[in-house]
Amino acid sequence: MNPGDSGRNGSRIQDIDVLRSFALFGILMVNITYLASAHHGFGLADPGLDSALDNAVRRLTAIFFEAKFYLLFSFLFGYSFTLQLKSAERGGARFTPRFLRRCGALFVIGVCHAVVLFPGDILTTYAVLGLILLALRGIRPRTAVITAVVLFTVTAAGLLLLAGAQHLAGGGGTDAAAAGERARRATEALRGSPGSVIGAHLDQLPDVVLLLVLFQAPAALAAFLLGLAAGRHEALADIARHGVLLRRLQWTGFPVGIAGGVLYAQTSRGNPDTALQLAGLAVDMVTAPLLAAAYAATVLRLAATRRGRRLAPLLAPAGRMTLTNYLTQSLVLALLFTGFGTALVGRVPPPLVALIAVALFAAQLAASRHWLRRHRYGPVEWLLRAVTNAERPRPRHRAG
């Protein structure tokens, strides 16, 4: 998830890492809801965990977190791609073979992650879309932005057409009782032996792939292209010169993005595979990028303040080893919620789930800072770099 930045100054890289760290927290807040509840993946609330507070936390998570933070991560992937490309050009290195090895390694790691720990893996998607980004590396920034807007719009229109077809067919969708039974069986499997857990993950993969094809992959590719365009203009090299743009992103993104998130939250629960749910996804497709942009603008503006500059060193280390932290999150949560460990899936109320996410991320902030005092890369970043460069990287800082 961290493609390896190379910039002209430390503050530029620190801004990117702070954004990555922020996105990592948002992704954790979403992923934990799926790991803590098999029902969540079917658009249902867990039986017995449907109090007013439980539902309020679910709704707030859907409004402010779901489908927003992977877009921010995807934008940063595209931006970092341009930094890698420029670094390779300066050093005379052959970029394409290295990037192909990187995508191959990400794909292998992602498949293992999806099967063993969490079916909602994003790494395999990044690996495949990375090949498209590589093919489009010569695209002009303006064309990249137009293509991204078209991708968002066409995907949303496609979802609306599917919603219309569902409506004309009588609403369609999955019977709530049948969905509840599938969720119950999945919960029991996730509480079982390690083999049972992996079997449950494999059962979920077809639904995950369908969601990726219809929703996540087109949006991620669009965000890649926006990041590529921003990287070509070195937009994060000097945040001060973009103050007006950042304020506009906040003033537009927050009201439109939150309104879209409210509609998405209202339609995404209790309406599995219905025309209403598809319509909510379509709206979210065009409003979530605006909320993600508003988040990014806010973080960048805060990072430029005196207090933000003091906080940045606390946040940036987690952003320098996002791949390690992303996989560690899934490992810890699998041990907590599945039969690999305490098997608490379906037994922890949403407010406590959210607190667990906050506590885990706080621990990762501290652990990342401690690790990077002695090491140049996170453990998985070191492995990915070794495969990418086909050589053993120096793991520790030089003494003195």
Side-chain angles (χ1 to χ4, degrees):
M1 296 179 77
N2 182 352
D5 296 320
S6 177
R8 292 183 304 186
N9 57 66
S11 63
R12 170 185 177 179
I13 293 178
Q14 187 171 76
D15 283 340
I16 295 172
D17 288 334
V18 167
L19 274 178
R20 276 208 197 95
S21 183
F22 176 68
L24 182 70
F25 171 68
I27 288 173
L28 171 59
M29 287 292 291
V30 175
N31 287 354
I32 194 173
T33 62
Y34 289 92
L35 284 155
S37 169
H39 286 75
H40 187 73
F42 291 93
L44 302 170
D46 268 290
L49 298 176
D50 58 351
S51 69
L53 180 58
D54 292 337
N55 289 323
V57 171
R58 289 190 185 100
R59 186 169 287 107
L60 290 173
T61 302
I63 293 170
F64 292 103
F65 290 93
E66 285 189 18
K68 282 77 178 176
F69 284 88
Y70 82 92
L71 292 174
L72 180 52
F73 238 127
S74 301
F75 171 87
L76 293 170
F77 188 102
Y79 191 99
S80 298
F81 175 85
T82 67
L83 301 183
Q84 277 189 289
L85 191 57
K86 290 173 186 175
S87 178
E89 290 171 350
R90 287 195 301 269
R94 297 179 62 196
F95 178 74
T96 298
R98 292 172 59 194
F99 192 75
L100 289 175
R101 287 195 295 269
R102 177 175 291 271
C103 288
L106 277 179
F107 188 84
V108 171
I109 294 171
V111 168
C112 295
H113 177 235
V115 171
V116 179
L117 298 177
F118 179 50
D121 169 78
I122 195 67
L123 301 178
T124 50
T125 303
Y126 278 14
V128 173
L129 294 181
L131 302 179
I132 299 176
L133 190 64
L134 180 65
L136 296 175
R137 65 187 180 277
I139 193 172
R140 294 181 178 180
R142 178 181 174 83
T143 305
V145 172
I146 293 172
T147 304
V149 172
V150 169
L151 275 171
F152 282 126
T153 305
V154 169
T155 306
L159 289 168
L160 283 176
L161 286 174
L162 285 175
Q166 286 274 46
H167 179 71
L168 292 174
T174 302
D175 179 71
E181 178 58 24
R182 286 186 64 195
R184 186 194 65 78
R185 290 199 302 268
T187 300
E188 291 303 314
L190 290 169
R191 291 174 180 169
S193 66
S196 176
V197 173
I198 291 174
H201 292 165
L202 291 173
D203 286 341
Q204 294 174 38
L205 281 178
D207 292 335
V208 172
V209 170
L210 182 63
L211 179 64
L212 285 172
V213 171
L214 292 178
F215 186 67
Q216 254 190 339
L221 179 58
F224 276 13
L225 292 172
L226 292 175
L228 184 148
R232 288 283 172 76
H233 289 295
E234 298 186 344
L236 300 183
D238 184 6
I239 298 302
R241 65 188 173 101
H242 299 297
V244 173
L245 174 61
L246 295 178
R247 286 192 293 272
R248 286 176 179 172
L249 288 174
Q250 289 176 299
W251 281 106
T252 303
F254 278 121
V256 177
I258 291 173
V262 169
L263 180 60
Y264 166 77
Q266 196 67 28
T267 58
S268 62
R269 294 289 169 264
N271 306 290
D273 303 323
T274 61
L276 189 61
Q277 185 189 53
L278 289 171
L281 283 172
V283 171
D284 196 60
M285 174 63 70
V286 294
T287 60
L290 295 173
L291 186 53
Y295 284 153
T298 302
V299 171
L300 290 171
R301 291 189 67 196
L302 289 174
T305 65
R306 182 178 301 176
R307 181 173 296 179
R309 285 191 291 271
R310 289 199 298 265
L311 289 175
L314 301 177
L315 297 172
R320 287 176 56 192
M321 44 189 289
T322 47
L323 181 55
T324 294
N325 283 322
Y326 173 70
L327 296 173
T328 300
Q329 287 171 0
S330 294
L331 175 61
V332 170
L333 297 178
L335 291 172
L336 183 62
F337 291 113
T338 75
F340 287 125
T342 55
L344 293 177
V345 60
R347 292 169 173 154
V348 182
L352 183 54
V353 168
L355 289 176
I356 290 170
V358 172
L360 175 55
F361 186 68
Q364 289 189 308
L365 289 178
S368 298
R369 193 178 185 196
H370 176 75
W371 178 271
L372 290 174
R373 283 173 179 164
R374 295 189 176 185
H375 301 83
R376 300 182 69 194
Y377 316 106
V380 188
E381 286 75 15
W382 182 91
L383 176 63
L384 185 62
R385 194 176 185 88
V387 173
T388 299
N389 297 331
E391 64 182 24
R392 182 184 179 89
R394 180 165 54 87
R396 290 179 178 267
H397 297 292
R398 293 185 188 276

